Amino acid sequence: MTQAIQKTLRDSAGMRWTALLLLALGMFCSYIFMDILSPIKDLMQDTRGWDSTAFGTMQGSEVFLNVFVFFLIFAGIILDKMGVRFTAILSGAVMLFGAIVKWYAVSDGFIGSGLETWFTNNLNYIPGFDELGVSPFYQGMPASAKLAACGFMIFGCGCEMAGITVSRGIVKWFKGREMALAMGSEMALARLGVATCMIFSPFFAKLGGSIDVSRSVAFGVVLLCIALIMFITYFFMDRKLDAQTGEAEEKDDPFRIKDLGQILTSSGFWLVALLCVLYYSAIFPFQKYAVNVLQCNLTLVEPAKDSFWAGSSVTIVQYVIMLVVAAAGFASNFMKDQKKRFGLLGLSVAALVVYCYMGYMRQSAEAIFAVFPLLAVLITPILGKYVDYKGKAASMLVFGSLLLIGCHLTFAFILPLFKGSAVGGVVIAYATILVLGASFSLVPASLWPSVPKLVDAKVIGSAYALIFWIQNIGLWLFPLLYGKMLDATNPAGTPATQLDHTVPLVMFAGLGVAALVIGLILKVVDKKKGIGLEEPNIK
């Protein structure tokens, strides 16, 4: 009788993983919308008059409210007070509303409207923010970019709220079970959203032979509708679980100002926080310009219009192959049978080669960069397991920073040397992007599990909230700086596909150098104070 009472949805593997799938799909859709305009920067300049400064300012606006209005902290308070179910639906609704605003901003309906006139004449000066140099708008910024920035700010609030809510939901359903695997799976699916965006955003913008950038954003809006449906479905599953257990929703301690004193006096915390903002500022902002970097440095010749490579069906085929790469590679990490493991790994590698070949034949910068998260999906579980059982987290942070420096310097100085070489440039691009993806796995797999070793357990939630806030500062600042540098180092009127990205790429390499220095200092502090960053999590 007692066993029957204790049998809940959480005890069923199928139900647990269904709950995870609902949450992960919501984040997958949000990651797609996050970079929905990144692969079509050139089209935004040609069709909406967004120069690099306007594009970078709009892209950086995503985290503006999280940083300067402290919405990131408010999101944590809402989650604590209202619970996972309410906050999940609220975050989905906020993301969808912001996405709709952004879609209208880039649609033809906005052109010539009274709203366009209002945005042209207003928001050119924001008291306080302009004096500090942090305004999300500026004099002469296209009206469509201003409204899109407003929508993106709203979306960013919902996205950040969704991120912490999904993590809390996974803990609730998988505590004492396959939590590491569940979180790794959610992260892997979310990163596939980046590749999905790179492939399908240009596909919809150019669909039918006519250019319409609003179709790409509309694609993202539809996906966020699906995300909201996923969160609503999760709401009912989670409510049924609580009804079965008779427990109230699990809630962590809220963020408290008094916690800051204990956190801010930890030198290890500051080193990890600085390393986090430096590293992620060289990755996520780069994603927003990466396609344009390839467009400007590769010799790409459009295939004949009547060929298979120029058709719409090749996009679907390549995407399916990408899913095979990711699914087979990820699953290979969890096969106990050696034959099955190497069989899946071989399938993943073979599919990756086919994918890269198709990207070359399509002569598509978007399809080439879409390979970025695939190696990360493959090796993230390996690295996480290594840190759990072998340790060396601080050393992995240093190695990841070295890879980051090498990749950005390659994009800045070596890739341009192969312009004119149809095959050589693409090979260098693929290799560099895959290595950058590996670096993207090294740092998160070692950084986030290190935080609990640096601060007291009772303030861990506050520590993560503060790190996320510091990280968001970089995610706001560096897309904006990148755009300004592009405009400052290229003559006015330079075509979008002929820009020189050298200076801003060196800036990203500089962030990698700073992260490397911080990582080395962290190793010294770890050894001196016995923090245990080099020790395994599981002893």
Side-chain angles (χ1 to χ4, degrees):
M1 182 65 179
T2 302
Q3 290 180 343
I5 293 174
Q6 291 178 341
K7 187 71 173 178
T8 66
L9 289 177
R10 189 163 45 199
D11 297 315
S12 166
M15 290 296 100
R16 284 199 306 275
W17 288 94
T18 298
L20 174 70
L21 183 62
L22 293 172
L23 294 172
L25 282 174
M27 292 309 298
F28 170 78
C29 295
S30 71
Y31 266 59
I32 292 175
F33 192 84
M34 194 182 300
D35 281 315
I36 200 69
L37 293 182
S38 299
I40 54 174
K41 176 186 181 296
D42 57 325
L43 300 183
M44 297 308 300
Q45 179 169 328
D46 294 341
T47 64
R48 292 297 181 269
W50 293 15
D51 60 12
S52 295
T53 299
F55 183 82
T57 303
M58 191 286 304
Q59 293 283 39
S61 68
E62 178 194 355
V63 296
F64 181 84
L65 295 179
N66 290 326
V67 172
F68 296 105
V69 189
F70 303 101
F71 187 82
L72 181 60
I73 307 302
F74 296 143
I77 295 173
I78 292 170
L79 178 58
D80 178 69
K81 297 297 183 184
M82 305 304 296
V84 173
R85 293 193 296 271
F86 173 85
T87 313
I89 293 179
L90 178 62
S91 64
V94 171
M95 285 193 295
L96 180 58
F97 178 72
I100 292 173
V101 172
K102 186 173 180 178
W103 166 77
Y104 178 67
V106 301
S107 69
D108 290 339
F110 179 72
I111 300 174
S113 67
L115 200 58
E116 182 185 33
T117 302
W118 189 90
F119 271 92
T120 299
N121 297 328
N122 294 277
L123 299 182
N124 295 310
Y125 170 72
I126 310 297
F129 288 105
D130 272 272
E131 282 75 11
L132 293 172
V134 298
S135 177
F137 314 107
Y138 60 87
Q139 180 75 40
M141 185 176 183
S144 58
K146 289 181 185 176
L147 181 57
C150 291
F152 210 25
M153 288 180 203
I154 297 170
F155 166 83
C157 292
C159 188
E160 200 67 47
M161 188 188 301
I164 60 176
T165 303
V166 166
S167 297
R168 185 78 58 83
I170 293 174
V171 170
K172 179 174 183 176
W173 281 79
F174 286 86
K175 191 173 184 178
R177 296 176 175 83
E178 320 95 324
M179 190 186 301
L181 176 58
M183 287 192 169
S185 300
E186 185 273 328
M187 183 183 295
L189 184 58
R191 286 180 176 177
L192 283 179
V194 178
T196 303
C197 167
M198 296 299 162
I199 289 177
F200 282 106
S201 179
F203 171 79
F204 284 107
K206 301 173 183 177
L207 191 64
S210 63
I211 303 296
D212 185 351
V213 294
S214 69
R215 286 196 297 256
S216 297
V217 184
F219 166 64
V221 170
V222 171
L223 290 177
L224 288 176
C225 289
I226 295 173
L228 181 57
I229 293 172
M230 297 295 104
F231 288 150
I232 292 173
T233 306
Y234 173 82
F235 175 95
F236 291 105
M237 282 190 67
D238 194 79
R239 187 170 69 173
K240 185 173 181 180
L241 174 63
D242 282 350
Q244 290 177 332
T245 61
E247 300 172 353
E249 288 195 74
E250 295 183 15
K251 301 173 183 177
D252 290 342
D253 291 337
F255 181 91
R256 295 180 297 267
I257 298 298
K258 66 180 181 180
D259 293 339
L260 292 178
Q262 182 178 347
I263 297 169
L264 298 180
T265 55
S266 168
S267 58
F269 167 82
W270 274 112
L271 291 172
V272 168
L274 288 173
L275 197 151
C276 174
V277 69
L278 290 168
Y279 183 83
Y280 279 95
S281 294
I283 289 288
F284 287 118
F286 174 69
Q287 287 179 188
K288 301 181 184 302
Y289 292 92
V291 171
N292 192 235
V293 170
L294 298 181
Q295 290 172 334
C296 297
N297 289 289
L298 296 179
T299 301
L300 301 173
V301 180
E302 288 189 19
K305 293 187 180 299
D306 58 348
S307 70
F308 167 73
W309 304 109
S312 58
S313 59
V314 67
T315 302
I316 308 300
V317 173
Q318 192 176 21
Y319 186 66
V320 170
I321 293 174
M322 185 198 76
L323 293 180
V324 172
V325 175
F330 187 75
S332 69
N333 291 288
F334 307 101
M335 293 293 111
K336 294 182 179 180
D337 183 275
Q338 291 280 20
K339 291 183 178 179
K340 291 182 179 179
R341 178 184 302 171
F342 287 110
L344 285 171
L345 187 60
L347 174 61
S348 179
V349 172
L352 178 61
V353 172
V354 173
Y355 176 91
C356 292
Y357 173 75
M358 293 184 72
Y360 167 72
M361 292 302 294
R362 292 182 63 192
Q363 293 289 285
S364 166
E366 304 91 348
I368 291 171
F369 184 71
V371 79
F372 170 66
L374 297 186
L375 192 58
V377 171
L378 173 63
I379 68 175
T380 296
I382 300 174
L383 296 173
K385 188 174 182 179
Y386 185 87
V387 172
D388 278 341
Y389 288 94
K390 300 293 184 180
K392 304 297 181 183
S395 298
M396 288 175 65
L397 291 172
V398 170
F399 185 55
S401 299
L402 284 170
L403 292 180
L404 182 70
I405 297 167
C407 288
H408 283 308
L409 291 179
T410 299
F411 282 125
F413 298 109
I414 297 178
L415 186 61
L417 297 178
F418 286 83
K419 190 172 179 65
S421 173
V423 177
V426 172
V427 170
I428 293 295
Y430 271 132
T432 309
I433 293 166
L434 285 169
V435 172
L436 188 64
S439 171
F440 190 34
S441 293
L442 274 168
V443 172
S446 52
L447 187 149
W448 297 117
S450 299
V451 177
K453 297 179 180 180
L454 302 170
V455 298
D456 192 276
K458 67 180 182 180
V459 295
I460 187 66
S462 301
Y464 274 122
L466 193 55
I467 287 179
F468 290 152
W469 181 76
I470 294 171
Q471 173 185 314
N472 271 232
I473 295 175
L475 300 187
W476 159 76
L477 176 63
F478 286 99
L480 185 151
L481 285 180
Y482 196 110
K484 287 181 177 293
M485 286 183 177
L486 272 185
D487 281 338
T489 56
N490 287 275
T494 302
T497 56
Q498 297 178 24
L499 296 169
D500 182 355
H501 288 258
T502 303
V503 173
L505 285 172
V506 170
M507 173 185 70
F508 281 157
L511 293 177
V513 172
L516 174 63
V517 172
I518 296 295
L520 292 172
I521 295 174
L522 185 62
K523 286 195 67 173
V524 173
V525 171
D526 175 56
K527 186 175 182 179
K528 184 177 180 180
K529 295 189 175 183
I531 297 173
L533 297 181
E534 293 286 83
E535 297 178 5
N537 295 325
I538 299 174
K539 300 180 181 179

